[in-house]
Amino acid sequence: MYFFITRIVHQSYNIFKWTVLDWLLIGFWLWLLIASLLNSSLTISIFGQYYRYQGIITLFCFLEFYYLIVISKYQISKVKALIFLSGILNCLFVIGQFLFNSASFYGRYTANLGNPNFTGGFLALCFGFSNILFFPLFLVAILLTGSRSALLALGVMMVIRLFGLIKNKKIASVFILAIVLGLVLVFPKREISSFDSRFEIWNKAIVAIGNKPVIGYGVENFDRAFTSVLGNLDFDLKNIRVDKAHNELLEYTVAGGILAGLLYGSIIIYSLLKIKENWLVATFVGYLIISSLNVMSVAEYLFFFLILAIIKQTSVDKFADNDRQE
């Protein structure tokens, strides 16, 4: 509905030109659809798990969002300003929760995103669109969320952006060393369970892929795949529910087999080769770090498809031209 309303209201738009990225995205979605149709838990694959809702329909909406961004005539500076403002407001929200001793998630703060890891990831990605002078504010807010993947992403993003901005590499290296040492000192330290660590989950995911390498288990069916590979000695793992791979490459490979994993990997590699702006490289790398270590929220997925749309427009030399005319 939003798609058709947008097309009616906005009569002026860019002509859509097909690129390799578009074919990869369409092929990726179609194969996940086919793989899900060939599996038994079709309803879950289509609509997604309860409370996550990240199934085939949601992925289609992301593709629609990508398409609308690509054909829309707008300026990147305005988009960056809106995302920057959203990031600042959510940083202040998190800090306000801490100062006023508001409800927290086991001592970690969530703003209004419901999960501290989602909040941390969202803030880190907002920083990619923001002025680097606000790095301390984003750092404090992400520390309050306790999200280690977001903190790691924030540090790497800052390093990349400094290298792009400071021409004197020796001076840049001094700043970068200070950032790295600082992050090491403040990096959250938490007890990691021996039976539900990332490595344990990833190991089971690889085994599941080996069992169904062609069509996988269908979208949003990682819990079924995980349970299917548990052995007699995995009695601890049988008492917990693991519904995500905490790694997007493994998540999609489990969902649609090796072909889905190759298509997703191809989207990433193609996009990295096409990026031209330093800040966008930093943001995309930040997303890859977070998505390789944690579960992703819908808000974070939007950043992924927004970045792909910007890369698409830059590759056809329209987006950059519009920005230069400001």
Side-chain angles (χ1 to χ4, degrees):
M1 179 62 70
Y2 176 72
F3 168 75
F4 290 109
I5 291 175
T6 304
R7 291 301 299 269
I8 292 171
V9 173
H10 298 284
Q11 297 297 325
S12 178
Y13 53 87
N14 293 321
I15 297 175
F16 188 85
K17 294 183 178 181
W18 286 89
T19 64
V20 173
L21 180 58
D22 304 311
W23 291 113
L24 287 173
L25 284 169
I26 294 297
F28 177 62
W29 182 82
L30 286 175
W31 180 249
L32 287 177
L33 175 62
I34 292 170
S36 298
L37 290 172
L38 295 175
N39 276 283
S40 57
S41 302
L42 180 59
T43 301
I44 292 177
S45 291
I46 296 297
F47 296 101
Q49 300 180 64
Y50 175 69
Y51 80 83
R52 291 200 188 277
Y53 303 110
Q54 296 176 357
I56 292 294
I57 290 178
T58 303
L59 185 55
F60 178 78
C61 291
F62 288 144
L63 290 177
E64 181 181 77
F65 172 74
Y66 163 85
Y67 174 74
L68 289 173
I69 294 296
V70 169
I71 66 171
S72 299
K73 289 187 174 180
Y74 62 94
Q75 295 174 332
I76 185 59
S77 58
K78 294 180 180 179
V79 175
K80 291 174 71 174
L82 287 172
I83 295 176
F84 172 50
L85 177 60
S86 177
I88 293 297
L89 291 175
N90 278 281
C91 282
L92 295 176
F93 196 157
V94 169
I95 294 172
Q97 286 182 316
F98 169 73
L99 292 176
F100 293 100
N101 197 26
S102 181
S104 65
F105 189 94
Y106 300 103
R108 301 166 63 190
Y109 298 90
T110 65
N112 62 349
L113 292 172
N115 181 291
N117 289 325
F118 295 165
T119 305
F122 177 81
L123 292 177
L125 294 172
C126 283
F127 173 73
F129 290 78
S130 306
N131 190 305
I132 63 169
L133 295 177
F134 286 82
F135 174 77
L137 179 64
F138 282 92
L139 175 60
V140 169
I142 290 175
L143 282 172
L144 290 174
T145 69
S147 175
R148 292 173 293 192
S149 60
L151 186 61
L152 177 61
L154 181 72
V156 173
M157 290 163 67
M158 187 61 174
V159 167
I160 294 174
R161 294 186 68 177
L162 282 176
F163 254 105
L165 289 174
I166 301 177
K167 302 302 180 184
N168 189 319
K169 299 311 176 187
K170 290 184 179 180
I171 296 177
S173 298
V174 172
F175 278 107
I176 290 166
L177 180 60
I179 290 172
V180 172
L181 291 176
L183 291 178
V184 169
L185 292 175
V186 300
F187 200 76
K189 299 174 179 63
R190 292 194 297 273
E191 291 291 332
I192 300 176
S193 172
S194 61
F195 60 83
D196 67 348
S197 69
R198 298 288 191 273
F199 295 109
E200 191 67 41
I201 295 172
W202 295 341
N203 179 61
K204 297 300 181 184
I206 293 171
V207 174
I209 292 168
N211 290 344
K212 297 189 69 175
V214 180
I215 62 170
Y217 294 79
V219 174
E220 285 281 81
N221 278 296
F222 187 83
D223 58 337
R224 187 165 64 90
F226 185 83
T227 303
S228 71
V229 299
L230 297 180
N232 294 329
L233 299 179
D234 295 320
F235 55 89
D236 286 328
L237 295 176
K238 294 178 181 179
N239 296 321
I240 62 174
R241 183 173 183 267
V242 180
D243 63 346
K244 286 289 185 180
H246 295 73
N247 179 290
E248 285 299 286
L249 178 59
L250 289 176
E251 179 75 27
Y252 285 124
T253 308
V254 168
I258 293 174
L259 178 58
L262 289 174
L263 287 169
Y264 180 75
S266 298
I267 291 169
I268 299 301
I269 294 171
Y270 178 88
S271 300
L272 286 172
L273 293 174
K274 289 292 183 179
I275 297 180
K276 298 179 180 179
E277 293 86 358
N278 173 268
W279 69 270
L280 194 58
V281 172
T283 309
F284 196 43
V285 170
Y287 177 88
L288 294 179
I289 291 172
I290 296 168
S291 65
S292 296
L293 298 171
N294 228 322
V295 177
M296 302 301 287
S297 66
V298 171
E300 292 165 291
Y301 279 128
L302 285 174
F303 278 98
F304 179 65
F305 287 91
L306 174 60
I307 292 170
L308 293 185
I310 295 174
I311 293 170
K312 153 83 172 184
Q313 290 222 10
T314 303
S315 67
V316 296
D317 294 324
K318 287 186 176 180
F319 199 95
D321 289 340
N322 288 339
D323 196 39
R324 294 190 194 102
Q325 292 173 5
E326 293 184 316

